[in-house]
Amino acid sequence: MKKLNILLAASLGFAAFVAHADVANAVKLEKKYALFAKEANPEYSGPSAVDGKFFFNRKIKLANGKEAACASCHTQNPADEGKHIVTNKPIKPLSPMVNYKRFSDVDKVEEQFTLHCNDIIGSDCTAAEKANYIAYLLTEKTPSVKK
Ligand code: HEC
């Protein structure tokens, strides 16, 4: 989704992505995606963390017959470190509440969304799904207690 990418970069301003490493960028990005979602569908009333959570955990049958969800690699608690289901490599927490680096680079975010959405749902996610997704991640701030 190159066009959305350029629009996002232009409207947020590159400087915003360099100066602060905190949750503000994630919130801005969530709002931007929500604006695009409303443009596409005026009835979109989100961002909805509830829908985002559902989407995150929803298992989808892949082309190879296996089932996977975003949670398969990012774990059911996005405040926790994840683990790649194919390579077993650790993945830093996805929640911007515990990992300020998340959602701070708009190009990376768009690239990863496109990649993973295609992997799991077979197409890029919509702006509504992305807004809901970030809204949900922003609610996950407590890493699980290690056993
Ligand atoms: C097969 C494993 C896997 C699955 C399944 C997966 N991801 Fe990821 N995800 C990764 C890896 C690996 C990274 C990048 C590593 C890193 O940045 O730490 C990542 C990073 C991301 C990022 C980048 C955030 C940022 O700003 O750094 C987003 C957004 C993302 N994933 C969204 C999703 C969504 C949406 C789904 C479900 C539709 C999903 N992922 C499913 C492995 C996965």
Side-chain angles (χ1 to χ4, degrees):
M1 220 190 244
K2 203 67 202 163
K3 201 170 143 232
L4 179 58
N5 204 349
I6 291 163
L7 282 173
L8 279 171
S11 57
L12 291 164
F14 284 110
F17 283 119
V18 189
H20 326 257
D22 63 31
V23 64
N25 286 326
V27 174
K28 268 191 210 157
L29 210 46
E30 174 202 6
K31 295 213 168 99
K32 274 292 156 191
Y33 281 129
L35 273 183
F36 289 125
K38 276 193 188 106
E39 262 168 42
N41 172 15
E43 283 174 23
Y44 176 70
S45 61
S48 159
V50 173
D51 289 355
K53 183 172 188 180
F54 178 79
F55 182 85
F56 186 83
N57 290 295
R58 186 176 55 164
K59 283 206 167 155
I60 299 188
K61 203 168 205 151
L62 308 179
N64 64 10
K66 290 197 182 133
E67 287 195 327
C70 306
S72 304
C73 290
H74 292 298
T75 82
Q76 270 175 303
N77 180 358
D80 284 342
E81 188 166 273
K83 190 168 152 203
H84 196 284
I85 46 173
V86 180
T87 63
N88 278 334
K89 282 202 188 131
I91 304 174
K92 296 214 170 75
L94 199 55
S95 168
M97 300 302 282
V98 294
N99 181 356
Y100 287 160
K101 292 205 176 116
R102 291 300 182 202
F103 301 97
S104 57
D105 176 338
V106 72
D107 286 326
K108 182 181 172 192
V109 172
E110 269 294 291
E111 186 191 302
Q112 298 287 325
F113 262 136
T114 304
L115 268 175
H116 300 166
C117 293
N118 271 296
D119 277 353
I120 303 294
I121 64 173
S123 63
D124 198 359
C125 295
T126 63
E129 284 163 338
K130 293 175 186 176
N132 295 344
Y133 195 79
I134 300 176
Y136 164 59
L137 294 180
L138 283 164
T139 67
E140 294 286 8
K141 37 191 129 177
T142 319
S144 310
V145 181
K146 292 252 156 53
K147 278 172 221 140

